[in-house]
Amino acid sequence: MKVIELRIKPTKTLFFNEENFFGIYGAEVHPDDLKPEIKLNMYGNISIKGVMPKLNLTEEYVVIVKPDTQGKYDASYIVESIKQNKPTTVDDQKEFLSTILTTNQIDNIYAVYKEDQDIVGMIESGEFDFTKVKGLGEKSFRKLQKKVMDNIDMSEVLIFCSKHGIKYNMIAKLIKEYKNPSIVIDKINENPYVLTEVKGIGFKKADEIAKAVGYDMESSHRIDSCLRYIIGEENANGHSWISRKQLLNRAIELLNIPKDSIENRLDGNPKGVKCVDKERFTRDIVYEAENYIAQRMTQYKTMSTELFPKEELDSFLDEYCKNNNVELEENQRQFFYDWNENNILFLVGGGGVGKSWIQRILLELIDKKNLTTALLAPTGKASKVMTGYTGRQASTIHRKAGVFGEDEEAINPITEDVIIVDESSMCDVFILSKFFKSIENSNARILFVGDDFQLPSVGVGNFLYDCIHSLCIKISTLKKVFRQAYGGILDVSTKVRNGQIFLNDDADGRIQFGKDCVFWLSESKYVRDGVIKNYKNVLKRFDQDDVVILSPTNKGRLGTIELNKEIQKIANPSSPDKKERAVGSKDNQIIFRVGDLVMNTVNTYYVETLEGGTANVFNGDTGKIIDIDEEEKVFIIEFDGIKVKYKFGLILTNIVHSWVTTIHKSQGSQYKVVIVIIDKSSKYQLNANLIYTGFSRAKDFMLVLGQAEAINHGIRKFANMERRSFLQELLQEFNRNRADMLPEFKEVEQSIEEDNEEEILCYL
């Protein structure tokens, strides 16, 4: 079929999809390009359709088209490529600039740059420095830059995306890096596995494209990408490394090439992959993070000095107890001696042992020395909880340190004398590496607080477990549980922690524990209706911000995705005066509506704010949709008073509804009311640690729906808290290499084979 080149001006947008860039436009044809074979419709125009950038009406484009023989519009043509001619002369460039800038701003540009310089080309390549131009602010420049980038021939890259089932916004990062879409296509053809650097495109998708373009199946790029993909899957499950045998077997299965080719790469130097002791493979960045954490923790341990004379510390504790008519239990009092003698320390214990109270006392003690304090947590929810029980402002680690620059220096270094990190079991190796890099005070005292029975981090590593079991860092453990007078939430949570069964397997109906805990036990088919009915009842007395539904899973009838759709109908029903937008495919469509409670699931940096600045939104931050701007194609979401813009194309990958969340995602949070689903449909996911984590989120009231048999099955099974990581052995290695190894550690090290682990931990 013959293709035709035309100059056209779009006159009307008939259809445009922001997610896949498929558009249909009505357009005028340039009079000089009207030929006998060009058919016009009754309005004297043509319609064009295909994958293309969003077109500006009345601006001229050059298109290559072919007749659309099956189109529903008269004189319809399919676009094969589309571009705007780049302005080259000074007059053309000035005219182009005038569509965005004022005459004074244009004059000021040419006062800085010569008239024979290609201003548009400099903006396109990133060489143009708007800060040198008087009167040209960042906002105006960004609008101009967007127009310049939109003016580049995008059709080649868009058609490539359409052909291979890739969304344009997925490779926007590459286009931003390489400046020109044509270069991006060249890079992909040269090495399709460059696509794996982009969120949303994994090895398998890149491999499909590589095969389609006839790429060498034994290339080093392909093998290296596959190895990183396999290790990345292990990282996604929390493990730092994979054995050589497992890695090789899985690579053979995925690559389907001779074993020798893969082994040669394993024994060579695969990009981004590190081999440890010839048998364990990890990503460079994972090993570097764990190594750095171990090194810095050992340094702080080496710096340990006594801060208060023992007599002064005893006097303070005695006076505090007398003034407040309280008594410190033996292990609680011992904690203060441990903290006083160690620059790095862990405070470990379950719910109800007094960890929060102990921290409040510690803050009063710190004030005696006029020391500065930073209170930190890994998530926004956890930092709010910390603010609540300490009465002092806490922050997330990310926000306190700020985003790291190219030189790996923290934008906002942590300078305080005392740093307390709560919910330390939730910290993965990357956030901890950034945390230690952020600390500017080499004499800082660092206290990590955590519950060793809770689930480990969603990310890579097993920080709390590894530090405890390394026997290298001082651990102060609280064991005695208080506040069980009513036999409610805390009592039930403690029983779960101890593996104690408190329900008969055949128990049924409503069972109450204390004043604040109810179990509704029924057949699985009734649980969903029970959740919805009880949520409606709870909203009669509590605000929806104070209530959460917890499920072990995202999938299925009782998973977060389906339940959030049902809860939305109750908490934020559709209304003619509420803006909403459906996103995703027809089979997996989700409606986001103004007023929805949502959670951000990806660390997102430099998000544009409503006021025109930028902000950072982190994984786990919760907020509310306050507006949907169809013209700008953004959701406006408020996170902790900061209103940010999320593009329509990013909403599915970054945002989820948060009325219902997984138990794992709720870790670190607390709610007045918690509804927990413990159903036999999730039987294989259940364990005592998961159930305990869910139960311990509740402050005022907890409702559990499920079956006694499923609950008891979970309580009898304890999670394997071990993960394949390097931190434990790296801590031991750094401590062995210390010339001034502590005498008590030497004694413990010698007795490891003779004593059991519990006795050793008590000793420490």
Side-chain angles (χ1 to χ4, degrees):
M1 190 179 294
K2 186 179 179 182
V3 296
I4 309 163
E5 183 173 317
L6 300 171
R7 286 169 289 173
I8 57 102
K9 280 188 179 180
T11 56
K12 186 176 183 180
T13 305
L14 302 173
F15 175 80
F16 190 77
N17 187 312
E18 292 279 347
E19 292 187 15
N20 61 19
F21 282 78
F22 181 84
I24 306 174
Y25 290 88
E28 293 177 352
V29 179
H30 192 284
D32 293 344
D33 291 344
L34 286 172
K35 302 169 186 175
E37 64 265 32
I38 302 297
K39 295 180 180 180
L40 303 179
N41 58 29
M42 59 186 293
Y43 304 106
N45 294 333
I46 64 171
S47 66
I48 60 172
K49 72 179 185 181
V51 178
M52 64 186 88
K54 189 173 184 180
L55 305 183
N56 297 316
L57 302 185
T58 75
E59 292 190 10
E60 187 173 271
Y61 294 83
V62 177
V63 295
I64 294 176
V65 296
K66 63 183 180 182
D68 177 17
T69 56
Q70 298 180 348
K72 69 176 183 178
Y73 295 100
D74 291 335
S76 176
Y77 292 85
I78 298 172
V79 173
E80 294 213 336
S81 74
I82 184 166
K83 64 181 179 180
Q84 279 184 292
N85 287 326
K86 179 178 168 181
T88 53
T89 68
V90 174
D91 289 341
D92 286 347
Q93 292 219 354
K94 285 184 176 180
E95 184 179 348
F96 177 82
L97 296 173
S98 69
T99 60
I100 296 289
L101 306 180
T102 66
T103 302
N104 283 340
Q105 287 173 322
I106 295 170
D107 290 342
N108 290 339
I109 286 174
Y110 284 100
V112 175
Y113 295 97
K114 297 176 182 178
E115 290 215 341
D116 61 352
Q117 288 183 277
D118 180 4
I119 303 300
V120 173
M122 292 173 69
I123 295 170
E124 182 182 314
S125 66
E127 298 173 36
F128 183 86
D129 185 355
F130 75 91
T131 61
K132 294 180 179 179
V133 180
K134 182 180 178 182
L136 182 57
E138 182 176 2
K139 197 169 182 179
S140 294
F141 174 70
R142 296 300 174 209
K143 287 175 70 176
L144 176 61
Q145 187 182 46
K146 183 178 184 303
K147 184 173 176 65
V148 169
M149 298 310 290
D150 287 346
N151 192 47
I152 297 172
D153 179 7
M154 304 289 272
S155 58
E156 185 182 4
V157 72
L158 289 170
I159 290 167
F160 179 89
C161 289
S162 177
K163 180 179 178 181
H164 296 294
I166 302 171
K167 290 184 179 178
Y168 169 76
N169 58 25
M170 286 184 174
I171 63 171
K173 173 187 171 184
L174 295 177
I175 292 172
K176 184 177 180 181
E177 181 178 349
Y178 295 114
K179 313 301 181 189
N180 191 307
S182 296
I183 297 174
V184 171
I185 298 301
D186 290 342
K187 290 285 183 184
I188 293 171
N189 284 325
E190 178 187 329
N191 173 19
Y193 301 96
V194 72
L195 288 167
T196 58
E197 298 172 15
V198 177
K199 179 177 171 57
I201 302 179
F203 167 76
K204 290 183 178 180
K205 185 65 181 177
D207 208 37
E208 283 179 22
I209 296 168
K211 290 172 183 175
V213 299
Y215 196 71
D216 179 8
M217 292 293 99
E218 292 190 37
S219 78
S220 59
H221 289 309
R222 181 172 187 248
I223 298 171
D224 291 359
S225 180
C226 182
L227 297 176
R228 291 194 299 271
Y229 168 74
I230 295 167
I231 296 169
E233 282 191 317
E234 292 298 306
N235 295 160
N237 291 321
H239 301 295
S240 299
W241 57 268
I242 182 173
S243 71
R244 179 189 179 90
K245 183 178 179 180
Q246 285 179 303
L247 179 58
L248 182 59
N249 288 340
R250 287 169 67 181
I252 292 170
E253 182 183 341
L254 283 169
L255 293 169
N256 195 26
I257 61 175
K259 179 180 177 181
D260 290 348
S261 298
I262 303 171
E263 286 190 306
N264 288 338
R265 285 305 296 164
L266 279 175
D267 295 330
N269 189 23
K271 184 179 178 183
V273 175
K274 182 178 181 62
C275 178
V276 179
D277 57 35
K278 297 182 180 180
E279 284 301 321
R280 294 179 293 174
F281 288 81
T282 183
R283 290 188 296 160
D284 290 342
I285 54 174
V286 172
Y287 186 83
E288 288 165 7
E290 293 197 89
N291 188 68
Y292 184 75
I293 293 164
Q295 182 181 356
R296 291 301 302 275
M297 292 186 78
T298 306
Q299 288 174 351
Y300 280 105
K301 175 180 175 177
T302 307
M303 299 293 293
S304 293
T305 56
E306 191 174 84
L307 189 62
F308 290 86
K310 187 176 183 301
E311 296 77 15
E312 186 179 348
L313 181 58
D314 281 332
S315 175
F316 168 82
L317 295 174
D318 292 342
E319 186 177 349
Y320 179 90
C321 291
K322 181 180 178 182
N323 292 341
N324 292 277
N325 194 28
V326 294
E327 185 176 339
L328 286 166
E329 180 261 341
E330 180 184 354
N331 288 328
Q332 292 174 335
R333 194 174 187 100
Q334 181 60 44
F335 160 78
F336 291 96
Y337 300 132
D338 293 340
W339 179 83
N340 191 46
E341 296 167 0
N342 293 274
N343 278 32
I344 188 161
L345 175 71
F346 282 79
L347 173 60
V348 176
V353 297
K355 296 194 302 293
S356 301
W357 177 50
I358 288 293
Q359 288 177 73
R360 289 198 297 271
I361 301 173
L362 178 63
L363 289 171
E364 289 192 29
L365 175 64
I366 292 166
D367 289 344
K368 291 281 185 183
K369 287 278 188 184
N370 295 317
L371 300 174
T372 55
T373 310
L375 304 180
L376 305 176
T379 67
K381 281 285 188 183
S383 68
K384 286 180 184 177
V385 172
M386 196 178 192
T387 296
Y389 71 72
T390 61
R392 306 189 187 195
Q393 187 60 50
S395 170
T396 63
I397 297 171
H398 282 108
R399 283 203 168 87
K400 179 65 177 175
V403 180
F404 279 65
E406 292 180 3
D407 58 357
E408 284 298 301
E409 292 293 325
I411 290 176
N412 302 309
I414 300 172
T415 60
E416 282 80 0
D417 302 308
V418 179
I419 306 163
I420 303 176
V421 181
D422 199 7
E423 297 291 352
S424 59
S425 65
M426 297 175 63
C427 295
D428 65 37
V429 299
F430 296 123
I431 193 174
L432 286 162
S433 176
K434 287 189 175 183
F435 166 70
F436 280 108
K437 285 177 182 175
S438 302
I439 301 174
E440 197 172 75
N441 185 351
S442 60
N443 292 313
R445 279 181 127 70
I446 306 168
L447 173 65
F448 290 102
V449 182
D451 185 338
D452 58 336
F453 199 76
Q454 284 189 173
L455 302 167
S457 68
V458 176
V460 187
N462 202 0
F463 176 65
L464 182 58
Y465 179 94
D466 283 345
C467 289
I468 291 172
H469 290 79
S470 72
L471 308 176
C472 297
I473 307 296
K474 189 73 173 179
I475 311 294
S476 192
T477 304
L478 304 182
K479 296 182 178 179
K480 185 174 180 180
V481 179
F482 301 90
R483 300 186 289 109
Q484 296 191 81
Y486 301 110
I489 296 169
L490 182 60
D491 186 43
V492 166
S493 299
T494 303
K495 283 182 167 68
V496 173
R497 182 186 173 95
N498 294 333
Q500 183 179 342
I501 301 298
F502 54 89
L503 293 167
N504 295 325
D505 276 355
D506 58 356
D508 195 25
R510 186 181 187 277
I511 301 175
Q512 183 162 342
F513 293 88
K515 296 181 178 180
D516 56 9
C517 180
V518 171
F519 282 66
W520 265 111
L521 306 173
S522 64
E523 292 181 38
S524 186
K525 61 184 178 181
Y526 301 121
V527 171
R528 182 185 173 98
D529 290 341
V531 170
I532 294 167
K533 178 183 177 181
N534 282 284
Y535 185 81
K536 287 179 181 177
N537 291 335
V538 166
L539 285 193
K540 294 174 183 177
R541 293 180 293 147
F542 293 91
D543 187 85
Q544 59 177 285
D545 291 353
D546 296 326
V547 184
V548 72
I549 299 168
L550 300 181
S551 171
T553 180
N554 287 313
K555 299 176 182 178
R557 291 180 69 255
L558 297 176
T560 63
I561 297 171
E562 289 303 315
L563 281 176
N564 267 315
K565 291 177 181 178
E566 291 300 315
I567 297 302
Q568 184 186 43
K569 298 173 186 176
I570 302 166
N572 192 28
S574 178
S575 166
D577 59 350
K578 282 183 191 173
K579 296 179 184 177
E580 63 178 47
R581 183 174 177 85
V583 299
S585 63
K586 289 182 180 179
D587 298 333
N588 188 30
Q589 197 170 77
I590 297 175
I591 295 172
F592 287 96
R593 184 177 295 141
V594 170
D596 283 354
L597 297 185
V598 293
M599 177 187 293
N600 181 65
T601 60
V602 180
N603 288 340
T604 313
Y605 302 111
Y606 302 115
V607 187
E608 185 181 355
T609 65
L610 195 60
E611 292 74 24
T614 60
N616 302 318
V617 187
F618 300 106
N619 185 4
D621 285 355
T622 55
K624 182 179 286 189
I625 298 175
I626 61 171
D627 195 12
I628 301 173
D629 189 332
E630 289 288 347
E631 184 177 340
E632 202 172 338
K633 308 297 182 188
V634 294
F635 288 87
I636 299 172
I637 306 176
E638 184 171 358
F639 294 97
D640 290 333
I642 302 171
K643 299 169 184 176
V644 299
K645 298 179 181 180
Y646 270 82
K647 293 179 181 178
F648 286 171
L650 287 178
I651 201 77
L652 263 184
T653 56
N654 289 45
I655 298 294
V656 296
H657 286 117
S658 63
W659 297 290
V660 189
T661 188
T662 61
I663 295 174
H664 213 146
K665 273 286 187 185
S666 74
Q667 196 162 322
S669 307
Q670 279 194 331
Y671 299 85
K672 288 184 178 180
V673 179
V674 174
I675 299 173
V676 189
I677 300 168
I678 308 292
D679 185 77
K680 64 183 181 182
S681 60
S682 301
K683 194 171 183 179
Y684 294 106
Q685 294 170 272
L686 297 175
N687 56 61
N689 308 77
L690 185 78
I691 295 172
Y692 169 77
T693 299
F695 287 4
S696 53
R697 301 310 97 205
K699 288 173 62 179
D700 296 346
F701 183 76
M702 179 172 73
L703 173 65
V704 182
L705 294 103
Q707 304 84 41
E709 183 184 0
I711 294 166
N712 291 343
H713 169 82
I715 293 174
R716 292 187 184 102
K717 186 172 73 172
F718 290 88
N720 180 2
M721 301 295 278
E722 291 188 52
R723 286 179 170 179
R724 296 191 302 275
S725 60
F726 295 105
L727 182 59
Q728 189 175 150
E729 63 191 81
L730 286 169
L731 282 168
Q732 292 167 346
E733 181 182 338
F734 279 119
N735 274 264
R736 276 195 298 269
N737 292 338
R738 285 179 53 210
D740 57 339
M741 185 183 289
L742 298 176
E744 64 266 29
F745 179 76
K746 286 182 179 178
E747 293 172 16
V748 172
E749 192 177 47
Q750 291 166 1
S751 66
I752 286 176
E753 295 181 0
E754 301 170 9
D755 297 329
N756 64 47
E757 184 176 323
E758 183 176 352
E759 290 172 338
I760 295 170
L761 291 179
C762 290
Y763 179 86
L764 286 175

